[in-house]
Amino acid sequence: MKLEKILANLNSFEKNSFLKIIDGILANDPQNIKEIEKILSDSSKDLKNMDNINVVRVFNLVQDEFSQCIVEEFVNTTSQLDILSDIITKDGNSIMKQDWFARLYEKELSKLDKKLKDFKKTIESGKGDVSEQRFRDYKIYRSCLSTAYNNDKDNNQERKITTDELSIILTLSQQLELSQEEIKLINYLIIPIQKQDIDMVINDLKIMGVIFYSKKTSTIYVADEVIRILRKIRGKEVADKFFRRVLRLLREPQINAICRKHQIDWRLPVDEKIKAIIRDGIKFSNVLTEDVHKDGTNVTDKKKFINELCDKGLNITPAIKGTLIDEKVNNLIKYFDEIERDEKVGISIDGYEKLLIELGEVLKTLNERLRIEFELQDEKVLKSNYLLDYNIKPRDVLEIVTGKELEEFCKIKGIKTRGDIIQNILENYKDAENLYLENYENIGFRNFNLLKENGITIKEANLGVKFEELTKTIFEQLGFNVDEPLRKKLNTTKDKADIILNIGNNELIIVECKTLKESGYNKFSSVSRQLKAYSKCVENTDYKVIKSLLISPDFSDEFIKDCGLEYELNLSLITASSLVKILEGFKNSKHKQFPHNLLMRDVLIQEDRVLKAIGK
């Protein structure tokens, strides 16, 4: 669940610990302090009194400092933050009841205790499937960790691992290519593990700002933004679902090679081996660059493998860039990160709901499989809004279904099975109009990767026109009269306004739409000339332009400043995301027509103010 939505579900007391952490960071002048001060000056200077949208904006600007606060907690050897963060960053664990979290914690400790006994026996006997080289790696890491932890005792001080020691230990583990599970096992051979009271665990995590806790409902919330930070700290480069997607494209001998290197039983069924690889925190980039390849594989063959995986296996277009292998893999990780951050689901929400209903009718065990795969505690989970709160999208659901079952489902529903069967199913459940509106901002940003991932195929030349069409649709749904005949009448061969909103009483609003490939639209002089030309076209008629609006995915600070100084146009700016949120709020309001006066006030229209006004 997104941070903004979580904050909206909580009272001020339940947000308090998180806001204290942010306040502490702000007191020490973080690197983005100037941008933060601008947000604070435009709203309340007290975080507690700020609206949730601005709190999220501030948090996004202090993520590096917030991450450092969490890293420092790993120095505390009694925090068990490695165990706890591995639990709360798993797909499906972002919203949990207290008793469910307690059960997962106990289950994790029990599994860890058993593994520790087996691991200790193996490492001390030198026997088993572990290679001589791997035994050597374990002993090196164990000796260094033991020295770091115990040297304080020799100096008659409390035993702990300092921040400097921790950074060296982390570097060592990376160079030895140890998985998170191997690191965890060796750590707890040196530092004995102790079960803690669950109320104390929750309170500690809350004080760190890692989780939110609602005492009224006994519910733990972990924001998607915090999960990404925790994963990065733990060295997990992609979400489990994306790792699973890639592993399922590998041949079984390649899966076995990964298992042998990291002491996973290669005799298990393929799905069990894939789960173990993900569960053990094996580094995604190492899997693709080293683990799947035989000793002595040359760079050319490794490049060929990664290119085929991206182009043919994952069907990513345009192709992932990168000359060097590491560049290619890093760009693949960024690609998955973009997809995860995107709130769109690949098909419309209505289409997702229909897909879940019909899948559940054909595959009777799907509900239970989803619960097990994502560790969901509710009984009935085949609901689109419920799954989206856990960031579980249609493709994620389809990827836990076997190929044979998907084929059977397609036959029953009359869906073609040739080619990419998952893509064929998603295509069948599209709702074109809703899907385009859900991807409005991506179209504005001309983001081909996300558009393709979300099931939209469109030519680059058509993106600007599609952005205009969707903007018209949004204003129509807001109850405006999008006067197309008048627009055609007023336009000349040289000057053509994108949209004319006829407010009545011969009053008009001119709307201009701009797409862009990068953040921050900054061509103010150009758009200013355009809008002045459009206004002149109206001057010799009975109509009067009372407002000009510019819609774009983003605006630079300089553009917003120049717009504020422009007095002739009465121009306001609206970002694509703000316009969509205003539409969503309008649909849930009592209004049949949007009050256009709300668009007359600000230079950059703030959706939170508009939503408060129409929500009264």
Side-chain angles (χ1 to χ4, degrees):
M1 190 180 280
K2 299 282 185 236
L3 176 59
E4 184 185 334
K5 190 171 181 180
I6 292 173
L7 292 172
N9 287 341
L10 303 173
N11 61 41
S12 55
F13 177 75
E14 290 162 347
K15 302 175 192 176
N16 205 27
S17 296
F18 176 77
L19 296 179
K20 272 185 182 177
I21 294 283
I22 307 303
D23 270 328
I25 292 170
L26 298 183
N28 291 309
D29 289 340
Q31 58 180 347
N32 293 320
I33 188 63
K34 288 184 179 177
E35 293 173 69
I36 293 164
E37 283 176 344
K38 187 176 183 304
I39 296 168
L40 294 174
S41 64
D42 288 347
S43 56
S44 169
K45 291 195 175 183
D46 185 355
L47 279 175
K48 290 180 183 177
N49 297 324
M50 278 171 60
D51 59 71
N52 297 329
I53 293 168
N54 282 318
V55 171
V56 173
R57 287 173 68 199
V58 171
F59 176 74
N60 288 335
L61 291 167
V62 298
Q63 284 198 24
D64 287 346
E65 290 82 3
F66 181 81
S67 177
Q68 188 54 43
C69 290
I70 297 173
V71 169
E72 287 168 7
E73 288 295 334
F74 276 92
V75 176
N76 179 0
T77 54
T78 62
S79 73
Q80 297 181 3
L81 195 51
D82 51 354
I83 297 170
L84 298 168
S85 61
D86 286 349
I87 293 171
I88 62 180
T89 57
K90 281 181 186 174
D91 293 336
N93 285 352
S94 57
I95 309 168
M96 293 179 282
K97 294 291 184 183
Q98 180 183 1
D99 60 338
W100 185 256
F101 178 54
R103 208 179 307 172
L104 292 177
Y105 175 61
E106 286 181 20
K107 185 178 169 184
E108 193 68 23
L109 290 189
S110 178
K111 276 168 34 184
L112 185 57
D113 186 56
K114 185 179 181 303
K115 277 189 173 183
L116 277 170
K117 287 172 184 172
D118 294 341
F119 188 71
K120 186 177 181 182
K121 200 180 291 181
T122 300
I123 204 171
E124 288 177 354
S125 67
K127 294 176 182 177
D129 292 335
V130 185
S131 68
E132 211 173 296
Q133 176 68 36
R134 207 59 176 163
F135 272 124
R136 180 176 168 273
D137 294 342
Y138 290 161
K139 286 177 181 175
I140 290 170
Y141 181 77
R142 185 183 183 185
S143 296
C144 293
L145 183 69
S146 178
T147 300
Y149 181 60
N150 290 309
N151 58 11
D152 295 308
K153 185 182 177 184
D154 297 336
N155 296 323
N156 201 25
Q157 294 175 328
E158 180 190 353
R159 290 190 295 186
K160 63 180 180 179
I161 297 172
T162 66
T163 305
D164 288 342
E165 287 170 339
L166 182 63
S167 67
I168 294 168
I169 292 293
L170 287 173
T171 303
L172 177 63
S173 67
Q174 289 164 7
Q175 293 304 309
L176 295 175
E177 295 180 14
L178 298 177
S179 71
Q180 287 301 325
E181 191 66 14
E182 288 168 321
I183 293 168
K184 193 194 292 181
L185 289 170
I186 297 171
N187 286 354
Y188 287 110
L189 284 179
I190 304 299
I191 307 162
I193 190 167
Q194 292 181 344
K195 182 183 171 185
Q196 297 180 1
D197 178 74
I198 199 66
D199 289 327
M200 189 183 295
V201 169
I202 289 171
N203 190 55
D204 288 346
L205 290 174
K206 191 179 71 170
I207 289 169
M208 289 179 210
V210 168
I211 67 166
F212 295 91
Y213 182 63
S214 170
K215 212 166 188 178
K216 184 180 178 182
T217 61
S218 298
T219 304
I220 293 162
Y221 297 94
V222 195
D224 292 346
E225 294 90 334
V226 174
I227 286 173
R228 283 194 290 272
I229 289 170
L230 286 171
R231 274 208 312 260
K232 189 176 179 182
I233 292 170
R234 295 290 291 139
K236 295 175 90 171
E237 297 162 315
V238 298
D240 293 350
K241 58 188 177 183
F242 299 129
F243 206 166
R244 186 192 305 113
R245 187 178 300 179
V246 169
L247 289 172
R248 285 185 173 169
L249 293 171
L250 302 181
R251 293 180 293 108
E252 190 164 2
Q254 293 172 317
I255 297 289
N256 290 342
I258 303 167
C259 291
R260 284 193 178 98
K261 180 166 183 180
H262 296 283
Q263 285 64 64
I264 295 168
D265 187 353
W266 60 271
R267 303 171 194 85
L268 292 168
V270 175
D271 278 352
E272 290 300 315
K273 286 184 279 196
I274 287 173
K275 284 180 183 177
I277 290 167
I278 296 168
R279 185 179 59 243
D280 284 6
I282 295 167
K283 202 169 182 184
F284 177 79
S285 55
N286 284 355
V287 164
L288 298 185
T289 57
E290 299 296 336
D291 296 353
V292 297
H293 304 290
K294 293 177 182 176
D295 290 341
T297 302
N298 61 44
V299 174
T300 304
D301 287 340
K302 287 183 179 181
K303 278 185 184 177
K304 185 181 176 184
F305 160 76
I306 292 168
N307 285 334
E308 286 183 355
L309 175 75
C310 295
D311 300 342
K312 296 178 182 177
L314 295 166
N315 295 316
I316 299 172
T317 54
I320 297 288
K321 294 179 180 178
T323 308
L324 303 174
I325 292 174
D326 288 345
E327 286 176 347
K328 194 96 176 177
V329 172
N330 285 337
N331 286 332
L332 177 60
I333 291 166
K334 287 177 186 175
Y335 166 78
F336 283 135
D337 186 54
E338 274 190 7
I339 293 170
E340 188 186 11
R341 288 172 187 268
D342 186 38
E343 295 182 34
K344 311 304 177 293
V345 302
I347 58 178
S348 70
I349 304 295
D350 292 340
Y352 190 12
E353 189 67 28
K354 186 181 177 186
L355 171 63
L356 290 171
I357 290 168
E358 296 189 358
L359 270 174
E361 288 170 351
V362 175
L363 306 172
K364 303 298 183 185
T365 62
L366 181 61
N367 187 80
E368 190 59 24
R369 269 192 273 174
L370 270 172
R371 290 186 68 235
I372 293 167
E373 186 71 36
F374 295 107
E375 293 187 336
L376 302 168
Q377 67 185 103
D378 292 276
E379 289 299 320
K380 293 181 180 179
V381 299
L382 285 177
K383 294 173 284 188
S384 58
N385 288 333
Y386 175 86
L387 292 176
L388 287 173
D389 277 344
Y390 291 91
N391 206 12
I392 299 168
K393 299 177 182 178
R395 180 175 284 274
D396 306 326
V397 173
L398 292 171
E399 284 179 342
I400 70 165
V401 179
T402 67
K404 192 175 179 182
E405 288 172 322
L406 290 177
E407 284 182 17
E408 183 63 26
F409 176 74
C410 288
K411 283 178 187 174
I412 293 169
K413 295 298 174 184
I415 301 168
K416 67 179 183 179
T417 55
R418 290 183 65 185
D420 186 336
I421 196 166
I422 288 180
Q423 191 57 42
N424 294 344
I425 294 170
L426 294 175
E427 286 284 338
N428 192 67
Y429 287 90
K430 270 187 186 178
D431 175 340
E433 184 177 341
N434 283 337
L435 184 60
Y436 276 116
L437 280 173
E438 286 169 17
N439 282 276
Y440 179 58
E441 188 178 14
N442 287 333
I443 290 168
F445 271 124
R446 310 178 81 90
N447 195 327
F448 277 97
N449 274 341
L450 284 178
L451 289 173
K452 185 173 184 295
E453 179 70 19
N454 289 338
I456 289 179
T457 304
I458 187 169
K459 292 180 180 177
E460 184 174 9
N462 297 336
L463 283 171
V465 174
K466 178 54 73 176
F467 190 67
E468 283 179 29
E469 288 175 1
L470 292 171
T471 307
K472 286 179 186 176
T473 300
I474 291 170
F475 278 111
E476 284 170 352
Q477 291 188 13
L478 286 169
F480 284 98
N481 174 15
V482 178
D483 200 332
E484 193 61 16
L486 181 60
R487 184 184 77 90
K488 288 178 180 177
K489 184 180 175 181
L490 293 173
N491 280 354
T492 67
T493 52
K494 185 181 176 185
D495 302 313
K496 296 182 179 180
D498 290 338
I499 300 170
I500 296 287
L501 304 179
N502 193 336
I503 305 302
N505 299 322
N506 288 4
E507 293 181 336
L508 307 177
I509 296 176
I510 295 176
V511 182
E512 182 70 8
C513 307
K514 295 293 180 185
T515 61
L516 65 154
K517 277 195 174 180
E518 295 177 4
S519 255
Y521 190 77
N522 57 9
K523 298 175 182 176
F524 182 79
S525 57
S526 171
V527 78
S528 173
R529 281 195 300 272
Q530 279 182 291
L531 288 167
K532 283 177 182 176
Y534 302 153
S535 294
K536 282 184 180 178
C537 292
V538 180
E539 278 179 7
N540 298 324
T541 69
D542 294 331
Y543 292 95
K544 179 185 177 184
V545 177
I546 62 165
K547 187 71 180 176
S548 298
L549 296 174
L550 179 61
I551 317 294
S552 186
D554 194 21
F555 301 98
S556 68
D557 289 342
E558 186 181 350
F559 191 99
I560 296 168
K561 183 180 176 184
D562 288 342
C563 179
L565 298 173
E566 173 57 65
Y567 57 88
E568 290 181 50
L569 289 170
N570 190 14
L571 173 63
S572 285
L573 314 174
I574 310 180
T575 65
S577 65
S578 290
L579 190 56
V580 168
K581 286 175 182 174
I582 288 169
L583 176 61
E584 289 170 359
F586 173 75
K587 286 178 178 176
N588 296 321
S589 74
K590 63 185 179 183
H591 298 278
K592 291 185 179 179
Q593 183 170 354
F594 184 84
H596 72 270
N597 287 337
L598 293 176
L599 303 176
M600 308 293 285
R601 301 174 184 175
D602 302 320
V603 175
L604 178 66
I605 291 173
Q606 303 289 335
E607 77 264 19
D608 54 318
R609 294 183 191 178
V610 174
L611 292 172
K612 281 179 185 175
I614 62 177
K616 287 181 179 177

